[in-house]
Amino acid sequence: MEHRTLARLAAPALALLIALTAGCTGATVQGRPGASGVRDPYFPRAGNGGYEVEHYALDLAYDPADGELHGTAVITARAGQGLSSFNLDFSGLKVEGVEVQGVGARFNRTGNELTVRPAGDLRKGEVFRTRVDYSGRPKAVVDPDGSKEGWITAEGGDYAVGVGEPVGSMGWFPGNHHPGDKATYDITVTVPRGYEAVSNGELRSRRDVGEGRTEFAWRSVEPMASYLATVAVGKFKVTTGKTSSGVSVYQAVAPGEEEASRGVLARVPEMVEWGSATFGPYPFGTVGSIVLPPRSLGYALETQTKPVYPGAPDEDLVLHELAHQWFGDSVSPKTWKDMWLNEGFATYAEWLWAESHGGVSAQRRFEAFLAGDTSVDGHADADWAAFPPASPPDAAHISDDPVYYRGAMVLHRIRQEVGDAKFFDLLRGWAADHRYGNASTADFTAYAERRTGVGLKKVWDVWLYGEGRPKA
Ligand code: TRP
Ligand code: ZN
């Protein structure tokens, strides 16, 4: 009989009742838990639902002598739903306390999920601050493909670097660790005197804070995916400058690598200017490099504004990581399935750089890959046909050869179909229209056809999604 009673309530009274329970009063229960992942096809637990981060303020103190990291993360986020609890991704390290809006919050941890239960529910649309205090000896995170990220130390602790691709950032700060949620950052690092601490963006201050310690305050004003955040601590030699269009340059080099790095790092400004002419304006206010001791890391990474290199890089590698600043960093993948939008583009950028600097043409290189001719390109015998670049078989293969080389070949096939004028207009349009955002493979294929006015279904079917080894 209850439904009848309800039905007799006048509509205005019912509306008032809804309004009251929906949050005009403080203590009502309206939130539900945010999701523990964003269902990425390859890393389903990465990221979290129910909120989006606007800003991370990370305050880190690192001591190379004992490898201890002390951190405070203040995360400003906006609730996308009423929240009774929400998750952060965080791995290892001890959580000493969590506050939401300045009030102690309960928390618990399972696996890499830190669940935070604020004292009161958060309203949909509310901007709220979460503070997490943590400490410990951070460890490397091992990827499905066996590579390591997270917090990596080298040279007996004299060097440490935080790197994130794809899910390593949870090893050194709590956050919403999926590329779909980009945010601005303030990263402040305190280290013993004699060490440098280098991070993304602009160095706002470097000061002596007593007790033999130096504090470095870095700021990223452009949005950044968390896998592109970095902190490098070490005895770097630092040089600074400006590109001809006014981008500030900051290069940090481990002393043993100085000589071997000097020539190639001197070309960073020129590469940024070339990139701006080819892909459209460089998306960030700063640029640079972090050259670690060799073997400290198993790979280079396009950490935003300052790629990291394990030892002195060569010209192609620097060009590759700088090209990622447009493709990967400014335009970031929607999911980890869209990796070829990063790696195919950065690889093709190397081909374009070569052809415009007296090297072989992209067409010749494309043919060399088709023929497996390593006399033209040392990588031409790569197994680029193992799988279609837009669908790696699983998480362990998201950075395999097809993602890089066949990804580049996809771009070259588009160029063949549409001609140079439309092709370069497409690259610039793509970078401009998705600047600071995220994009998927489907976004790209639709955009490419719209922008060029050319139907490219065959290229997608054969090169992007097709199994087997295309002949042309
Ligand atoms: N993005 C790096 C590059 O090409 C390579 C890389 C390092 C990577 N770690 C990764 C790719 C993890 C995918 C996943 O410069
Ligand atoms: Zn790359």
Side-chain angles (χ1 to χ4, degrees), residues 143 165-166 299-302 320-321 324 339 343 398-399 404:
D143 272 351
E165 191 177 22
Y299 48 81
L301 194 62
E302 63 268 27
H320 178 106
E321 304 309 338
H324 272 309
M339 273 297 282
E343 303 304 346
I398 61 167
S399 54
Y404 285 74

Side-chain angles (χ1 to χ4, degrees), residues 196-254:
E196 302 290 322
V198 188
S199 186
N200 314 91
E202 176 202 356
L203 181 61
R204 300 182 60 235
S205 68
R206 174 195 214 273
R207 60 191 187 105
D208 211 316
V209 288
E211 292 171 10
R213 299 181 72 86
T214 315
E215 180 201 85
F216 297 78
W218 293 91
R219 174 170 285 179
S220 296
V221 294
E222 302 93 358
M224 177 162 77
S226 78
Y227 78 93
L228 298 167
T230 191
V231 162
V233 175
K235 303 199 160 173
F236 299 109
K237 295 290 179 228
V238 173
T239 53
T240 60
K242 274 203 188 300
T243 70
S244 57
S245 65
V247 177
S248 351
V249 182
Y250 189 103
Q251 322 240 43
V253 181

Side-chain angles (χ1 to χ4, degrees), residues 267 270-275 277-278 315-316 319 349-361 365:
R267 300 193 71 181
E270 175 194 346
M271 289 179 181
V272 170
E273 296 307 320
W274 174 84
T278 310
E315 183 181 306
D316 282 345
L319 192 283
E350 295 176 56
W351 298 12
L352 292 174
W353 169 263
E355 84 175 357
S356 63
H357 290 79
V360 299
S361 67
R365 212 179 285 266

Side-chain angles (χ1 to χ4, degrees), residues 152-156 159 161 236 253-258 260-261 290-300 308-313 317:
I152 314 282
T153 58
E155 314 281 300
Y159 289 84
V161 64
F236 299 109
V253 181
E257 299 303 300
E258 274 183 292
S261 301
I290 302 171
V291 181
L292 296 161
R295 292 177 301 280
S296 48
L297 256 189
Y299 48 81
V308 295
Y309 303 98
L317 187 56

Side-chain angles (χ1 to χ4, degrees), residues 43 45-47 91 112 141-144 149-150 163-171 177-178 227 336:
F43 296 89
R45 295 266 175 79
S91 166
N112 299 325
V141 173
V142 182
D143 272 351
E149 72 257 11
V163 283
E165 191 177 22
V167 292
S169 293
M170 66 182 176
H177 292 308
H178 187 270
Y227 78 93
W336 290 111

Side-chain angles (χ1 to χ4, degrees), residues 39-58:
R39 303 193 192 185
D40 184 276
Y42 294 72
F43 296 89
R45 295 266 175 79
N48 303 284
Y51 67 92
E52 282 189 15
V53 178
E54 294 181 348
H55 185 74
Y56 291 88
L58 307 179

